[in-house]
Amino acid sequence: SDPYCVVRFGPAGSSWEEKGAALEQRSPVAPETSDPLWQFAFSVELPKKQEDLDWELQLRVLDSDTFGKDDNLGELVVRLATLDGHEEGTRDYPLTGSKARAGSAVEIMAGERVQKALLEELKEAMEKERESMWFPLTRSAL
């Protein structure tokens, strides 16, 4: 398998299509594995009145196919209030669906630790970019 995951956000009880791609996030493909470790982190800006709504995260794990439609390997739905309930810790959420392997789950973490990790990752990327753009100039005798 060449799995990747797609995450969408929307009102609780809405379908995948109703959630739409506006708030969609995708992980990189993990080539040739049936036990991927994505370490995929992101932030998403929810509507201003999100606290008045009961929103959920819907995640699908797919198998990337070069030819044809990608296969759905399983999915899960988690209410954002549930994620708030285990902020700073991780929790496994089982995948459901006809092609989901027994016992397969996705580990999710939410909270400030994730935000700090994202900021650190961004700082490291910016530092690497800055280093690669540095061209020392020396004075030469004319």
Side-chain angles (χ1 to χ4, degrees):
S1 293
D2 299 311
Y4 67 96
C5 67
V6 180
V7 181
R8 290 186 178 181
F9 296 88
S14 60
S15 71
W16 180 259
E17 292 74 21
E18 289 170 329
K19 288 181 179 75
L23 298 175
E24 183 176 285
Q25 299 288 326
R26 284 180 182 256
S27 75
V29 172
E32 300 178 21
T33 184
S34 60
D35 191 21
L37 176 62
W38 288 297
Q39 294 185 318
F40 170 54
F42 59 88
S43 63
V44 63
E45 190 169 326
L46 298 174
K48 299 264 187 245
K49 294 186 178 185
Q50 185 271 328
E51 64 272 3
D52 297 333
L53 301 173
D54 191 12
W55 277 52
E56 63 190 15
L57 168 154
Q58 186 170 357
L59 179 144
R60 285 189 173 172
V61 177
L62 299 130
D63 179 19
S64 179
D65 290 327
T66 305
F67 303 106
K69 187 177 178 184
D70 292 353
D71 298 319
N72 186 342
L73 300 177
E75 66 181 82
L76 61 89
V77 176
V78 182
R79 291 188 181 231
L80 297 185
T82 302
L83 293 177
D84 282 343
H86 69 85
E87 190 168 315
E88 306 310 324
T90 61
R91 187 175 292 167
D92 287 343
Y93 293 93
L95 291 174
T96 61
S98 61
K99 292 192 177 181
R101 285 191 339 234
S104 61
V106 173
E107 183 180 50
I108 298 177
M109 176 195 272
E112 195 174 314
R113 270 181 39 196
V114 176
Q115 185 177 11
K116 287 179 182 178
L118 285 171
L119 288 172
E120 189 59 37
E121 192 174 298
L122 179 60
K123 286 179 191 176
E124 288 174 15
M126 290 175 65
E127 185 62 33
K128 284 181 183 178
E129 185 175 323
R130 197 174 350 179
E131 288 172 4
S132 68
M133 293 175 31
W134 178 252
F135 298 101
L137 299 176
T138 58
R139 204 181 253 183
S140 61
L142 297 176

